[in-house]
Amino acid sequence: MTADIKIRKTTQSRLSEVDFNNIPFGRIFADHMFVADFDGSNWTNMEICPLHKIPLHPATMAWHYGQAIFEGMKASIDEQGNPLLFRPEMHANRLNISATRMCMPEFPVDVFMDALSKLVYIDKKWIPTHEESALYIRPVMMATDEFVGVRSSDTFKFMIMTLPSGPYYSKPVSLLVEEKYVRACDGGVGEAKAAGNYGASLYPTLLAKKKGYDQVMWMDAREFKYVQEVGTMNIFFVIDGVAVTPNLSGTILKGVTRDSLITLLRDKGIPVEERPLSIEEIHEAYQAGKLQEVFGAGTAAVVANVNRIGYKGQDMILNPDEYKLSPMLKTEINGIRKGRLADKYNWIHPVGVGVLTD
Ligand code: COI
């Protein structure tokens, strides 16, 4: 569907200021953004416009009670110069799952696709071509009522911004098994991409960093026994030739990259198990020499190797140079994302010139 989206292009592009050989993750913003307002009944004021700051009242509800959700997705460019979105509908659907859980309005998937396609097409020159880089896309929705009582907001703002970005992790990451704090519990908001989930992770992550680790590895909230996910990613373990990843129990994020890796692995005949996985099982596999690979999976991180896991005062040391599945998966997913490999799973949504004229 083509929605009524006003388009107002910048007259002062910042593109020439960008050094595409040096694009750290999350700091450089493309020229335009998409904005829409929910007025209590409908999404209105839809516009693609120059990226700008938004003035907000101090009582804006998102700040007080955390009604804020987001998504993270990516666009690449193929060798013919066509922008390619990676599994955008899955992200749009997940945004709406998060919205429902956080008592926020859904954003219509067809309008999301239209707005995103137009935005990415307009800023297609901002899509980096380097193998490890992409245009990171950040949709975000927030409560905008100016009110201090605790209730759901009636009004909301939805925005999409885009950022040319290099890899989230430029080297293998170390993880500390978290034994005090939890990310999510049964019945909580762990499955939603709620801003507060990330806010709550910061203090335990700071403590892990002080101990020399990059990220925390979250355990279940009931027994501190089963692995959930790590700081910014889902997690995979290769144990004796089998790729094992925690099952979607309602407390972890339904990762788009997670789902893609499972599909790729199964298609290649590699056994994959989605199931509860205890830290004891991982530790025993490590001691028996059967823990072959550990890697994270996320949109920003893609496939990120783990080289060390701290558990009960000792380290499990891994050697990513010997990993086989992780580099294969990274090559496959990057190849599909960049249009070099056949898109046999229908993951790619090409953005053609027609998006601005139909
Ligand atoms: C992503 O991988 O896109 C995320 O949202 C994780 C992080 C950058 C917050």
Side-chain angles (χ1 to χ4, degrees):
M1 177 187 131
T2 306
D4 187 13
I5 300 173
K6 196 171 141 197
I7 294 180
R8 188 164 50 88
K9 290 195 196 169
T10 184
T11 51
Q12 291 181 312
S13 173
R14 290 171 284 104
L15 187 62
S16 63
E17 295 163 20
V18 179
D19 172 7
F20 277 86
N21 293 314
N22 179 23
I23 40 172
F25 181 88
R27 292 195 185 280
I28 299 160
F29 296 85
D31 279 332
H32 297 91
M33 67 191 290
F34 170 75
V35 193
D37 293 315
F38 190 76
D39 63 6
S41 309
N42 296 299
W43 285 104
T44 60
N45 303 333
M46 289 192 254
E47 185 178 32
I48 291 172
C49 48
L51 183 88
H52 61 277
K53 296 185 182 181
I54 46 171
L56 292 170
H57 191 280
T60 299
M61 288 188 83
W63 285 335
H64 297 251
Y65 308 121
Q67 250 184 323
I69 56 172
F70 70 97
E71 267 302 313
M73 47 196 294
K74 274 181 175 167
S76 306
I77 197 140
D78 69 12
E79 277 159 12
Q80 290 70 47
N82 305 305
L84 308 174
L85 298 170
F86 188 75
R87 307 192 76 178
E89 287 186 353
M90 196 168 174
H91 286 281
N93 287 325
R94 191 173 66 177
L95 177 85
N96 286 338
I97 290 169
S98 302
T100 301
R101 179 63 184 85
M102 297 301 292
C103 209
M104 302 167 87
E106 291 191 357
F107 194 83
V109 173
D110 52 356
V111 184
F112 179 96
M113 293 296 296
D114 188 31
L116 181 62
S117 301
K118 287 182 164 120
L119 179 66
V120 168
Y121 189 80
I122 287 170
D123 276 339
K124 69 179 191 308
K125 291 194 176 135
W126 287 81
I127 306 176
T129 52
H130 186 273
E131 180 66 11
E132 298 279 333
S133 303
L135 189 71
Y136 185 76
I137 299 165
R138 174 50 66 89
V140 59
M141 192 192 294
M142 60 183 286
T144 48
D145 275 13
E146 295 159 7
F147 178 61
V148 168
V150 179
R151 59 154 172 79
S152 175
S153 181
D154 291 326
T155 62
F156 295 86
K157 193 173 269 299
F158 178 60
M159 295 167 282
I160 308 177
M161 64 203 104
T162 68
L163 305 86
S165 290
Y168 195 79
Y169 295 113
S170 49
K171 56 183 180 49
V173 292
S174 55
L175 306 176
L176 178 64
V177 174
E178 179 55 59
E179 296 183 82
K180 178 173 180 188
Y181 299 99
V182 294
R183 175 184 175 275
C185 59
D186 293 339
V189 294
E191 202 176 59
K193 216 161 165 57
N197 284 340
Y198 294 80
S201 77
L202 299 178
Y203 182 62
T205 306
L206 176 74
L207 298 181
K209 286 191 172 158
K210 280 189 181 160
K211 290 181 185 161
Y213 297 88
D214 298 313
Q215 286 289 341
V216 293
M217 187 153 95
W218 300 108
M219 297 291 115
D220 74 283
R222 247 186 242 189
E223 299 177 81
F224 280 89
K225 184 173 170 187
Y226 296 102
V227 177
Q228 301 276 285
E229 59 179 71
V230 301
T232 52
M233 309 177 281
N234 294 112
I235 183 94
F236 285 74
F237 300 82
V238 182
I239 302 175
D240 210 10
V242 180
V244 188
T245 192
N247 55 309
L248 300 174
S249 58
T251 56
I252 68 172
L253 197 71
K254 284 185 180 168
V256 175
T257 308
R258 174 189 180 279
D259 182 80
S260 308
L261 299 194
I262 291 171
T263 304
L264 289 169
L265 286 164
R266 291 205 169 124
D267 206 15
K268 293 189 180 302
I270 294 152
V272 184
E273 295 177 2
E274 295 176 76
R275 62 171 172 84
L277 176 62
S278 73
I279 185 63
E280 274 314 315
E281 180 184 341
I282 293 164
H283 193 233
E284 279 165 25
Y286 175 74
Q287 287 183 316
K290 291 182 177 172
L291 183 60
Q292 294 153 326
E293 302 184 32
V294 183
F295 50 86
T299 295
V302 191
V303 180
N305 292 335
V306 173
N307 61 3
R308 188 162 62 100
I309 302 174
Y311 176 52
K312 291 202 187 299
Q314 297 210 318
D315 279 345
M316 297 182 239
I317 307 286
L318 298 137
N319 185 359
D321 291 341
E322 290 176 358
Y323 288 4
K324 296 201 167 45
L325 294 186
S326 149
M328 176 278 286
L329 289 167
K330 195 170 182 176
T331 305
E332 287 276 321
I333 205 160
N334 280 342
I336 297 171
R337 271 199 309 123
K338 299 206 172 233
R340 286 194 307 267
L341 296 179
D343 175 29
K344 61 185 197 178
Y345 317 104
N346 259 329
W347 286 343
I348 297 301
H349 180 94
V351 179
V353 66
V355 294
L356 288 184
T357 50
D358 59 14

